[in-house]
Amino acid sequence: MAILANKNSKIVVQGITGKTGSFHADLSLKLGTNIVAGVSPGKGGQRHLGVPVFDTLEAAKAATGPLDATVIFVPAPLALEAIAEALDAKIPLIIVITEGIPVRDMVSAKKLLAGHESRMIGPNCPGLLVPGECRLGIIPGKITPPGSIGIVSRSGTLTYEAARQIAQAGLGVSTVVGIGGDPVIGTDFCQILDLFHQDPATQAVLMIGEIGGSMEQDAAAHWSGELGRAKPLFGLIAGKTAPKGKRMGHAGAIMEAESDSAASKAQVLKNRGVVTIDELTQIGQTVLERLGKTPAAVG
């Protein structure tokens, strides 16, 4: 099993004929992702990568039937409109890969989201990967085999490294979710942890956080309290060397107070029973040792 999507999920790509959308849709199709439609205004009636293209999401939905998820690759100035279109079409899962979306647009998107049942991942995120089943976004598709470790992260690059190390340790991943590092995002750590908690195929979770904000502390409290520590939670906080007030990579990764620092967040995680990983290079080995497994015993 997996969370959010699987091999049978019907996927549409908004911006499929653009350079980035086309490149990643092609890779996802080659991995077996069930992309049933693409949307590019003005190009309806064409086929791209063997996939039918429509002018609107409603037209795509009318032709293909209910859709499970959309992946948005449109330029930043058009992203809010694309999100609104996905909400109007009642797409259950909206993954926004686009970076550089103005904060005011995301505030508007969050307000729109409040009136719908859809879930939004992102923006400025790598998306979702279910190893061996589907890829919704830009995460390298063969970076890890299927397995029982769930990964959720604010950082795209560190997500890839974590998945690689888990694979090298002889383990595998149930689902990888990159939630994005912008100041305003659709889905936070707590919401993804809830899904992993409910997934019987996920035996443990790795959470990769960053400096700035309190999302990691909130997630640790939620996991230890609401979920009762039902499964091991591993945590890594990036940005140990970041100076106060300086933005590091993501728009949301800025340390404004001591409580925003990597060290402070890591201590909160430890106090909440999270297995805290201090060094990036220790991810795979720490998870392996803590679970008490050897590569040969994992499967």
Side-chain angles (χ1 to χ4, degrees):
M1 293 181 66
I3 65 170
L4 296 171
N6 56 50
K7 63 183 179 181
N8 297 316
S9 299
K10 294 171 64 178
I11 313 301
V12 60
V13 176
Q14 291 173 261
I16 193 171
T17 60
K19 182 178 179 180
T20 304
S22 178
F23 177 80
H24 286 290
D26 185 39
L27 290 178
S28 295
L29 284 164
K30 290 174 179 176
L31 289 166
T33 306
N34 187 29
I35 299 176
V36 299
V39 172
S40 286
K43 298 187 178 181
Q46 302 180 18
R47 294 187 73 86
H48 185 70
L49 305 174
V51 174
V53 179
F54 300 88
D55 290 322
T56 66
L57 266 180
E58 283 293 352
K61 186 177 176 181
T64 64
L67 295 162
D68 297 303
T70 179
V71 188
I72 297 177
F73 284 102
V74 305
L78 303 177
L80 177 57
E81 182 180 349
I83 293 168
E85 184 181 7
L87 290 171
D88 288 342
K90 296 181 172 55
I91 308 297
L93 178 63
I94 303 167
I95 297 182
V96 187
I97 307 300
T98 306
E99 62 179 317
I101 301 175
V103 172
R104 65 178 179 274
D105 284 359
M106 284 310 304
V107 171
S108 297
K110 287 277 283 188
K111 290 180 179 178
L112 291 174
L113 195 66
H116 294 79
E117 296 182 0
S118 301
R119 179 189 300 278
M120 181 173 69
I121 305 291
N124 189 17
C125 75
L128 169 76
L129 172 70
V130 180
E133 294 199 34
C134 62
R135 172 185 184 262
L136 283 64
I138 63 175
I139 300 173
K142 297 182 179 179
I143 200 168
T144 178
S148 61
I149 311 300
I151 299 177
V152 57
S153 174
R154 287 171 65 181
S155 167
T157 304
L158 295 187
T159 305
Y160 312 155
E161 173 61 19
R164 184 187 68 83
Q165 285 193 38
I166 286 175
Q168 288 183 331
L171 301 168
V173 172
S174 59
T175 310
V176 183
V177 185
I179 61 173
D182 279 7
V184 181
I185 59 175
T187 299
D188 62 21
F189 280 134
C190 290
Q191 293 165 307
I192 298 299
L193 291 180
D194 280 339
L195 295 176
F196 278 132
H197 171 70
Q198 296 161 13
D199 177 30
T202 300
Q203 297 179 10
V205 181
L206 169 64
M207 177 178 71
I208 302 176
E210 296 179 336
I211 59 171
S214 62
M215 196 189 311
E216 292 80 3
Q217 298 96 313
D218 295 342
H222 181 67
W223 187 265
S224 63
E226 294 292 327
L227 304 185
R229 301 185 187 180
K231 300 176 183 180
L233 177 62
F234 298 84
L236 171 73
I237 307 296
K240 289 195 300 183
T241 61
K244 185 180 294 187
K246 183 176 177 60
R247 181 171 289 114
M248 303 296 287
H250 287 146
I254 180 170
M255 184 174 64
E256 297 178 338
E258 185 57 35
S259 60
D260 295 343
S261 71
S264 177
K265 288 192 175 193
Q267 188 58 54
V268 171
L269 265 59
K270 285 182 180 179
N271 293 344
R272 289 289 188 176
V274 178
V275 182
T276 306
I277 303 170
D278 296 323
E279 299 295 335
L280 177 62
T281 57
Q282 298 174 350
I283 292 175
Q285 194 59 33
T286 301
V287 173
L288 184 67
E289 291 176 355
R290 183 69 182 213
L291 294 180
K293 296 179 178 180
T294 63
V298 178

